[in-house]
Amino acid sequence: MNLEIAQYLVPFKDDLQKHYSWPFDVNIPKSKFGFNFTGKNMFANTLQLKSQLQNAAIRARDNEELKLLADYFIKEWGGHKNNFDILNLIEKHKKISFSRDVPSNFDFEFKNISEWSKWLCIVCPAWAVIYDARVIYSINAINYLTGSKYKIFPMPEIRNQKINFLDISTLILNDRLSSTDSADPRFATDYHFVDKKIAYVQYADLIKKVGSQLYGKRSAGHIDAEMLLFSLADRQIFEDVFLKVKSGKKGNARIEKR
């Protein structure tokens, strides 16, 4: 699937700074942590924010200092207001912090995946990426646009009206289901969806491969690929899905609208 995603993203890969949009008030991390920002756009400021958070996490003297960083990045920057145990999250991820590769024996549970993967991308920047609903939508949508050959990645909850307008999982299932498939939802889940227990590891590996294909050996290629998929989700990718549904095209037909 990485080939299909990379091919779709090629026309956009050098314009990430133009496409990326996730505004945040730089004065908050300046005031809280003494961070500095010199970027001319949101993309540059976001990269500088992540880099300074990573350095601050390395220098942190205890879990309370780490909690301040995680609280800001998950709740203020990320917009997650869920009440979950951040100190427990920090302690759990200390076991793998700043590892160079995805650990083979680690419980990446799906619960709160959008929240904890934000912290993971700070303490494991070499390979971790945010499991964001927009990015997952983009992956599943490109799967649909190119023939629905691959399993569906489970989606975290999202409030984006555009993305919720067309249920991408249902569209893929419409292509994948055969006349012999069982109507039992458990069958569809097992056969057509990526298992939630391994979803994060498969996702991180997929994004890494896409990043390598788009940006070569650039160390942050996986981060750029994730941010590009995020940026295009409710714009170009949604438009392509909408056009395909509207036109009734099936199979491997590719919507060309550039």
Side-chain angles (χ1 to χ4, degrees), residues 128-162:
V129 279
I130 300 172
Y131 195 101
D132 184 89
R134 293 194 196 193
V135 183
I136 300 303
Y137 171 82
S138 291
I139 290 171
N140 288 334
I142 294 171
N143 182 12
Y144 169 67
L145 291 168
T146 56
S148 304
K149 298 188 293 289
Y150 305 98
K151 287 188 174 184
I152 303 162
F153 275 91
M155 282 269 292
E157 183 181 353
I158 186 168
R159 294 183 296 273
N160 185 289
Q161 289 185 341
K162 266 192 172 182

Short mmCIF file of all heavy atoms in Angstrom, two decimals, residues 128-162:
data_model
loop_
_atom_site.label_atom_id
_atom_site.label_comp_id
_atom_site.label_asym_id
_atom_site.label_seq_id
_atom_site.Cartn_x
_atom_site.Cartn_y
_atom_site.Cartn_z
N ALA A 128 8.44 7.30 15.50
CA ALA A 128 7.04 7.43 15.89
C ALA A 128 6.35 8.58 15.16
O ALA A 128 6.96 9.60 14.86
CB ALA A 128 6.94 7.64 17.40
N VAL A 129 5.08 8.38 14.86
CA VAL A 129 4.26 9.40 14.23
C VAL A 129 2.90 9.44 14.92
O VAL A 129 2.48 8.46 15.54
CB VAL A 129 4.06 9.14 12.72
CG1 VAL A 129 5.25 9.62 11.92
CG2 VAL A 129 3.79 7.68 12.44
N ILE A 130 2.20 10.56 14.81
CA ILE A 130 0.91 10.71 15.45
C ILE A 130 -0.13 9.90 14.69
O ILE A 130 -0.25 10.00 13.47
CB ILE A 130 0.49 12.19 15.48
CG1 ILE A 130 1.52 13.02 16.29
CG2 ILE A 130 -0.90 12.34 16.11
CD1 ILE A 130 1.29 14.51 16.21
N TYR A 131 -0.90 9.09 15.43
CA TYR A 131 -1.99 8.32 14.84
C TYR A 131 -3.22 9.22 14.86
O TYR A 131 -4.07 9.13 15.73
CB TYR A 131 -2.22 7.03 15.64
CG TYR A 131 -3.07 5.98 14.94
CD1 TYR A 131 -2.47 4.89 14.32
CD2 TYR A 131 -4.46 6.06 14.93
CE1 TYR A 131 -3.24 3.90 13.70
CE2 TYR A 131 -5.23 5.09 14.32
CZ TYR A 131 -4.62 4.01 13.71
OH TYR A 131 -5.39 3.04 13.10
N ASP A 132 -3.27 10.09 13.88
CA ASP A 132 -4.32 11.10 13.83
C ASP A 132 -5.45 10.65 12.92
O ASP A 132 -5.21 10.03 11.87
CB ASP A 132 -3.73 12.42 13.31
CG ASP A 132 -4.74 13.55 13.31
OD1 ASP A 132 -4.84 14.24 14.33
OD2 ASP A 132 -5.45 13.71 12.30
N ALA A 133 -6.68 10.97 13.27
CA ALA A 133 -7.83 10.53 12.50
C ALA A 133 -7.79 11.03 11.07
O ALA A 133 -8.20 10.34 10.14
CB ALA A 133 -9.12 10.98 13.18
N ARG A 134 -7.28 12.25 10.86
CA ARG A 134 -7.20 12.76 9.49
C ARG A 134 -6.20 11.96 8.66
O ARG A 134 -6.43 11.70 7.47
CB ARG A 134 -6.79 14.24 9.50
CG ARG A 134 -7.82 15.16 10.11
CD ARG A 134 -7.48 16.60 9.78
NE ARG A 134 -8.22 17.52 10.64
CZ ARG A 134 -8.31 18.82 10.42
NH1 ARG A 134 -7.71 19.36 9.38
NH2 ARG A 134 -9.00 19.59 11.23
N VAL A 135 -5.10 11.58 9.27
CA VAL A 135 -4.10 10.80 8.54
C VAL A 135 -4.66 9.42 8.21
O VAL A 135 -4.48 8.91 7.10
CB VAL A 135 -2.80 10.68 9.37
CG1 VAL A 135 -1.73 9.93 8.57
CG2 VAL A 135 -2.29 12.06 9.77
N ILE A 136 -5.35 8.82 9.17
CA ILE A 136 -5.95 7.50 8.92
C ILE A 136 -7.01 7.60 7.83
O ILE A 136 -7.11 6.72 6.96
CB ILE A 136 -6.55 6.93 10.22
CG1 ILE A 136 -5.45 6.78 11.29
CG2 ILE A 136 -7.21 5.59 9.96
CD1 ILE A 136 -4.27 5.92 10.87
N TYR A 137 -7.80 8.66 7.86
CA TYR A 137 -8.78 8.87 6.79
C TYR A 137 -8.07 8.93 5.44
O TYR A 137 -8.52 8.32 4.46
CB TYR A 137 -9.56 10.16 7.03
CG TYR A 137 -10.42 10.55 5.85
CD1 TYR A 137 -11.67 9.97 5.65
CD2 TYR A 137 -9.96 11.47 4.90
CE1 TYR A 137 -12.46 10.31 4.56
CE2 TYR A 137 -10.74 11.81 3.80
CZ TYR A 137 -11.98 11.22 3.64
OH TYR A 137 -12.74 11.56 2.54
N SER A 138 -6.97 9.67 5.36
CA SER A 138 -6.25 9.81 4.10
C SER A 138 -5.74 8.46 3.61
O SER A 138 -5.84 8.13 2.42
CB SER A 138 -5.08 10.78 4.25
OG SER A 138 -5.55 12.10 4.45
N ILE A 139 -5.18 7.66 4.52
CA ILE A 139 -4.69 6.33 4.14
C ILE A 139 -5.81 5.46 3.61
O ILE A 139 -5.70 4.84 2.54
CB ILE A 139 -4.00 5.66 5.35
CG1 ILE A 139 -2.69 6.38 5.68
CG2 ILE A 139 -3.74 4.17 5.08
CD1 ILE A 139 -2.06 5.94 6.97
N ASN A 140 -6.92 5.42 4.35
CA ASN A 140 -8.05 4.60 3.92
C ASN A 140 -8.66 5.14 2.63
O ASN A 140 -9.10 4.36 1.76
CB ASN A 140 -9.11 4.56 5.02
CG ASN A 140 -8.69 3.72 6.21
OD1 ASN A 140 -7.88 2.81 6.09
ND2 ASN A 140 -9.24 4.01 7.37
N ALA A 141 -8.69 6.46 2.47
CA ALA A 141 -9.26 7.05 1.26
C ALA A 141 -8.42 6.71 0.04
O ALA A 141 -8.97 6.40 -1.03
CB ALA A 141 -9.37 8.57 1.43
N ILE A 142 -7.11 6.77 0.17
CA ILE A 142 -6.24 6.42 -0.96
C ILE A 142 -6.38 4.93 -1.28
O ILE A 142 -6.36 4.52 -2.45
CB ILE A 142 -4.78 6.81 -0.67
CG1 ILE A 142 -4.66 8.34 -0.56
CG2 ILE A 142 -3.84 6.29 -1.76
CD1 ILE A 142 -3.32 8.83 -0.07
N ASN A 143 -6.57 4.12 -0.26
CA ASN A 143 -6.87 2.70 -0.46
C ASN A 143 -8.14 2.57 -1.32
O ASN A 143 -8.17 1.83 -2.31
CB ASN A 143 -7.06 2.03 0.90
CG ASN A 143 -7.33 0.54 0.81
OD1 ASN A 143 -7.17 -0.09 -0.24
ND2 ASN A 143 -7.73 -0.05 1.92
N TYR A 144 -9.17 3.30 -0.97
CA TYR A 144 -10.43 3.27 -1.71
C TYR A 144 -10.25 3.77 -3.14
O TYR A 144 -10.73 3.15 -4.11
CB TYR A 144 -11.47 4.12 -0.98
CG TYR A 144 -12.73 4.39 -1.77
CD1 TYR A 144 -13.63 3.36 -2.08
CD2 TYR A 144 -13.02 5.69 -2.21
CE1 TYR A 144 -14.79 3.61 -2.80
CE2 TYR A 144 -14.18 5.95 -2.93
CZ TYR A 144 -15.06 4.90 -3.22
OH TYR A 144 -16.19 5.16 -3.95
N LEU A 145 -9.54 4.88 -3.30
CA LEU A 145 -9.34 5.47 -4.62
C LEU A 145 -8.55 4.57 -5.56
O LEU A 145 -8.68 4.67 -6.78
CB LEU A 145 -8.64 6.82 -4.48
CG LEU A 145 -9.44 7.95 -3.84
CD1 LEU A 145 -8.54 9.14 -3.51
CD2 LEU A 145 -10.57 8.39 -4.76
N THR A 146 -7.73 3.70 -4.99
CA THR A 146 -6.88 2.84 -5.82
C THR A 146 -7.34 1.38 -5.84
O THR A 146 -6.57 0.49 -6.21
CB THR A 146 -5.41 2.92 -5.34
OG1 THR A 146 -5.33 2.57 -3.95
CG2 THR A 146 -4.86 4.32 -5.53
N GLY A 147 -8.58 1.11 -5.44
CA GLY A 147 -9.13 -0.22 -5.63
C GLY A 147 -9.47 -0.99 -4.38
O GLY A 147 -9.89 -2.15 -4.48
N SER A 148 -9.30 -0.43 -3.20
CA SER A 148 -9.68 -1.09 -1.93
C SER A 148 -9.05 -2.46 -1.76
O SER A 148 -9.67 -3.42 -1.29
CB SER A 148 -11.22 -1.21 -1.85
OG SER A 148 -11.85 0.04 -1.98
N LYS A 149 -7.79 -2.58 -2.12
CA LYS A 149 -7.10 -3.88 -2.05
C LYS A 149 -6.62 -4.22 -0.65
O LYS A 149 -6.30 -5.37 -0.35
CB LYS A 149 -5.90 -3.89 -3.01
CG LYS A 149 -6.27 -3.70 -4.47
CD LYS A 149 -5.07 -3.91 -5.39
CE LYS A 149 -4.00 -2.86 -5.21
NZ LYS A 149 -4.41 -1.54 -5.73
N TYR A 150 -6.54 -3.23 0.22
CA TYR A 150 -5.89 -3.43 1.51
C TYR A 150 -6.90 -3.31 2.65
O TYR A 150 -7.96 -2.71 2.51
CB TYR A 150 -4.76 -2.41 1.69
CG TYR A 150 -3.76 -2.45 0.57
CD1 TYR A 150 -3.85 -1.53 -0.48
CD2 TYR A 150 -2.77 -3.41 0.53
CE1 TYR A 150 -2.94 -1.57 -1.53
CE2 TYR A 150 -1.85 -3.46 -0.51
CZ TYR A 150 -1.95 -2.53 -1.55
OH TYR A 150 -1.06 -2.59 -2.59
N LYS A 151 -6.51 -3.86 3.80
CA LYS A 151 -7.36 -3.77 4.97
C LYS A 151 -7.52 -2.32 5.43
O LYS A 151 -6.67 -1.46 5.16
CB LYS A 151 -6.80 -4.63 6.10
CG LYS A 151 -6.98 -6.13 5.89
CD LYS A 151 -6.57 -6.90 7.14
CE LYS A 151 -6.87 -8.39 6.99
NZ LYS A 151 -6.58 -9.14 8.23
N ILE A 152 -8.59 -2.09 6.16
CA ILE A 152 -8.94 -0.75 6.63
C ILE A 152 -8.27 -0.49 7.98
O ILE A 152 -8.37 -1.31 8.90
CB ILE A 152 -10.47 -0.63 6.79
CG1 ILE A 152 -11.17 -0.96 5.47
CG2 ILE A 152 -10.87 0.74 7.32
CD1 ILE A 152 -12.65 -1.29 5.64
N PHE A 153 -7.61 0.65 8.10
CA PHE A 153 -7.06 1.03 9.40
C PHE A 153 -8.19 1.57 10.28
O PHE A 153 -9.00 2.38 9.83
CB PHE A 153 -5.97 2.10 9.25
CG PHE A 153 -4.61 1.55 8.96
CD1 PHE A 153 -4.18 1.36 7.66
CD2 PHE A 153 -3.77 1.19 10.00
CE1 PHE A 153 -2.93 0.84 7.39
CE2 PHE A 153 -2.51 0.66 9.75
CZ PHE A 153 -2.08 0.49 8.44
N PRO A 154 -8.25 1.13 11.54
CA PRO A 154 -9.30 1.63 12.44
C PRO A 154 -9.14 3.12 12.70
O PRO A 154 -8.04 3.61 12.89
CB PRO A 154 -9.10 0.80 13.72
CG PRO A 154 -7.68 0.34 13.66
CD PRO A 154 -7.35 0.17 12.21
N MET A 155 -10.27 3.81 12.69
CA MET A 155 -10.27 5.27 12.83
C MET A 155 -10.54 5.69 14.27
O MET A 155 -11.50 5.21 14.88
CB MET A 155 -11.37 5.87 11.95
CG MET A 155 -11.03 5.96 10.49
SD MET A 155 -10.26 7.55 10.05
CE MET A 155 -11.63 8.68 10.28
N PRO A 156 -9.74 6.59 14.81
CA PRO A 156 -10.13 7.23 16.08
C PRO A 156 -11.31 8.15 15.83
O PRO A 156 -11.63 8.47 14.68
CB PRO A 156 -8.88 8.04 16.46
CG PRO A 156 -7.80 7.59 15.54
CD PRO A 156 -8.46 7.08 14.31
N GLU A 157 -11.94 8.57 16.90
CA GLU A 157 -13.08 9.48 16.77
C GLU A 157 -12.62 10.81 16.19
O GLU A 157 -11.54 11.31 16.50
CB GLU A 157 -13.72 9.72 18.14
CG GLU A 157 -14.95 10.61 18.11
CD GLU A 157 -15.55 10.83 19.48
OE1 GLU A 157 -15.07 10.19 20.44
OE2 GLU A 157 -16.47 11.65 19.60
N ILE A 158 -13.45 11.38 15.30
CA ILE A 158 -13.12 12.69 14.71
C ILE A 158 -14.40 13.50 14.58
O ILE A 158 -15.47 12.96 14.30
CB ILE A 158 -12.42 12.51 13.34
CG1 ILE A 158 -11.94 13.87 12.82
CG2 ILE A 158 -13.34 11.83 12.34
CD1 ILE A 158 -11.01 13.78 11.63
N ARG A 159 -14.26 14.82 14.76
CA ARG A 159 -15.42 15.70 14.68
C ARG A 159 -15.47 16.49 13.37
O ARG A 159 -16.35 17.30 13.17
CB ARG A 159 -15.42 16.67 15.87
CG ARG A 159 -15.63 15.99 17.21
CD ARG A 159 -15.70 16.98 18.34
NE ARG A 159 -14.46 17.70 18.51
CZ ARG A 159 -13.45 17.26 19.26
NH1 ARG A 159 -13.55 16.10 19.89
NH2 ARG A 159 -12.35 17.96 19.38
N ASN A 160 -14.52 16.25 12.48
CA ASN A 160 -14.46 16.97 11.22
C ASN A 160 -15.68 16.61 10.35
O ASN A 160 -15.88 15.45 10.00
CB ASN A 160 -13.16 16.62 10.49
CG ASN A 160 -12.97 17.41 9.22
OD1 ASN A 160 -13.66 17.19 8.23
ND2 ASN A 160 -12.01 18.32 9.24
N GLN A 161 -16.49 17.60 10.01
CA GLN A 161 -17.74 17.35 9.29
C GLN A 161 -17.50 16.78 7.90
O GLN A 161 -18.24 15.91 7.44
CB GLN A 161 -18.56 18.64 9.20
CG GLN A 161 -19.16 19.08 10.52
CD GLN A 161 -20.05 20.29 10.36
OE1 GLN A 161 -19.98 21.01 9.38
NE2 GLN A 161 -20.90 20.53 11.36
N LYS A 162 -16.50 17.28 7.20
CA LYS A 162 -16.22 16.77 5.86
C LYS A 162 -15.88 15.30 5.89
O LYS A 162 -16.41 14.49 5.12
CB LYS A 162 -15.06 17.55 5.22
CG LYS A 162 -15.48 18.72 4.37
CD LYS A 162 -14.29 19.21 3.58
CE LYS A 162 -14.70 20.26 2.57
NZ LYS A 162 -13.55 20.71 1.77
#
